Amino acid sequence: MTDIASSARFAGLAPMVGNTPLLKIAFEFRGRQRFLYAKSEQLSLTGSIKDRMALHILREAYRDGRIHPGDTIAEATSGNTGISFAAIGRALGHPVRIFMPDWMSSERQGLIRSYGAEIVLVSAEQGGFLGSIRLSEEFAASRTDVFLPCQFSNAANAEAHETTTGPEIWAQLESAGIYPDAFVAGVGTGGTVMGVGRCLRAHNPAIRIHPVEPAESPTISTGHKVGKHRIQGISDEFIPAILDLSLVDPVIAVSDGDSILMAQKLASSLGLAVGISSGCNFLAALQVQEELGPEAVVVTVFADDNKKYLSTDLMHVEPVRSMYLTPEITLTGMSALPRVCSFC
Ligand code: PMP
């Protein structure tokens, strides 16, 4: 692929990635009308926010000469990142090899394969998720034509959100004469919360930026892997290198059962077929609004759609526990702040 060919392919993909509507969700909570804002990332090319990161990492790697036409893109991931690199990597003409634990759902494997990527399944005996990372690194070390995006440590991950998600949020709100008081996002790599946080803080240093994690598995607050949870895409087994806790506000904890109930409610009440981490983010945004006041403008992201979760607890009746917030929420409507025209 020549430079001209590669830039034409990037230009073809760019309008399909990001630049999503910002939803204004109306609801009643404890007898009062409220609003929260969420970027509808489920509308992106492959149905998740990770397209932004994959496109930006590959564009930067081309710019710096770290990837060449024909190189194999190799990444250890069990979820949306693999799907995004599979789609965008193949669209740019690269072989793509995804290393993932062998217990991941057949939908995930099928989605990655559907884009023409190869999957290397890694058993628990081979080390599961950490084993997948090791094997991808060994594969890269054994050849000279492999590009490792390294999403957990690559600064271009957060930069993708600092230069797209964050500016879009600011511009979409500003166009309606609204200014954000807080942004919250569940942490997988930390790219979203750090990148959007940096952008919004540049506009308003006093804005609150909260990482979010599952209450059942508070890896970030404790510094190591604890417990198990069902909010796929956030809280892996370690604190990612990109996440700098000294630059953000306190971590918000949300229960996985409450997140499932909220994601179900968003789909069944508003037609927003989102994943479990979107339910989690909505509830974290509500917790912050409770602290700041019912009029506070709190923004989050709906990170992906629900198609990867059709064989999970998202499709089952979830027991309600007394401290859950979802049963007290009645979703009453939504409107969308339109896409910005920064790329037009
Ligand atoms: N939700 C879902 C469904 C995800 O796949 C991810 C990415 N792993 C996140 C949230 C978290 O995003 P980030 O990696 O930018 O922290």
Side-chain angles (χ1 to χ4, degrees):
M1 207 171 9
T2 64
D3 276 354
I4 292 167
S6 73
S7 51
R9 289 198 186 188
F10 277 109
L13 286 164
M16 306 291 289
V17 172
N19 201 10
T20 51
L22 180 65
L23 301 175
K24 180 179 183 182
I25 313 261
F27 61 104
E28 281 163 19
F29 181 69
R30 297 183 180 157
R32 240 196 110 122
Q33 172 80 58
R34 307 258 194 137
F35 300 98
L36 286 171
Y37 295 84
K39 286 289 270 177
S40 48
E41 297 298 304
Q42 81 278 14
L43 299 181
S44 190
L45 178 70
T46 73
S48 98
I49 196 166
K50 301 306 284 196
D51 290 345
R52 294 180 186 263
M53 172 274 312
L55 187 68
H56 188 67
I57 283 183
L58 292 174
R59 194 163 29 204
E60 289 300 294
Y62 261 99
R63 198 167 287 160
D64 301 346
R66 284 177 291 115
I67 187 171
H68 305 98
D71 283 358
T72 297
I73 298 167
E75 182 77 323
T77 160
S78 56
N80 286 319
T81 295
I83 295 167
S84 293
F85 275 116
I88 295 172
R90 295 295 300 143
L92 293 171
H94 292 275
V96 177
R97 189 177 285 203
I98 302 297
F99 295 76
M100 67 194 290
D102 64 4
W103 58 82
M104 288 300 151
S105 73
S106 60
E107 294 109 300
R108 270 164 201 266
Q109 296 183 32
L111 281 167
I112 290 170
R113 285 205 180 95
S114 75
Y115 292 110
E118 188 194 339
I119 297 182
V120 178
L121 291 174
V122 181
S123 66
E125 298 76 54
Q126 290 172 294
F129 192 65
L130 293 174
S132 304
I133 296 176
R134 182 176 45 77
L135 285 173
S136 68
E137 287 169 353
E138 284 172 13
F139 172 63
S142 72
R143 288 170 43 165
T144 56
D145 62 346
V146 176
F147 174 69
L148 281 180
C150 298
Q151 59 156 346
F152 284 98
S153 53
N154 192 332
N157 175 354
E159 203 177 83
H161 299 287
E162 187 178 1
T163 56
T164 70
T165 327
E168 288 169 29
I169 290 170
W170 188 268
Q172 284 168 303
L173 288 174
E174 197 177 38
S175 72
I178 300 166
Y179 294 89
D181 298 305
F183 176 78
V184 308
V187 172
T189 61
T192 307
V193 77
M194 296 308 298
V196 173
R198 251 199 315 263
C199 167
L200 298 182
R201 280 250 167 93
H203 286 285
N204 170 14
I207 196 168
R208 301 265 292 260
I209 305 293
H210 291 276
V212 182
E213 70 179 353
E216 291 79 7
S217 178
T219 301
I220 304 174
S221 339
T222 58
H224 53 89
K225 177 179 157 48
V226 207
K228 272 178 142 177
H229 71 94
R230 296 173 290 167
I231 314 176
Q232 289 182 35
I234 71 169
S235 191
D236 290 304
E237 298 174 12
F238 47 85
I239 298 190
I242 289 174
L243 185 70
D244 185 343
L245 289 172
S246 70
L247 298 179
V248 290
D249 293 294
V251 180
I252 308 281
V254 178
S255 166
D256 61 2
D258 211 2
S259 302
I260 287 172
L261 289 167
M262 194 64 224
Q264 290 171 340
K265 194 169 265 193
L266 286 162
S268 62
S269 305
L270 296 181
L272 293 171
V274 291
I276 301 169
S277 80
S278 302
C280 169
N281 280 348
F282 187 92
L283 294 171
L286 178 56
Q287 284 187 44
V288 172
Q289 194 178 55
E290 277 293 272
E291 238 181 80
L292 298 181
E295 305 293 335
V297 175
V298 186
V299 186
T300 189
V301 296
F302 290 158
D304 69 354
D305 62 29
N306 68 2
K307 294 188 187 62
K308 288 170 301 295
Y309 309 105
L310 299 178
S311 64
T312 73
D313 286 355
L314 183 59
M315 301 308 291
H316 299 140
V317 175
E318 179 66 25
V320 172
R321 298 237 161 87
S322 59
M323 70 291 194
Y324 286 179
L325 296 176
T326 305
E328 297 188 67
I329 297 169
T330 305
L331 295 170
T332 53
M334 70 173 170
S335 54
L337 295 172
R339 293 172 163 92
V340 286
C341 226
S342 57
F343 307 115
C344 309

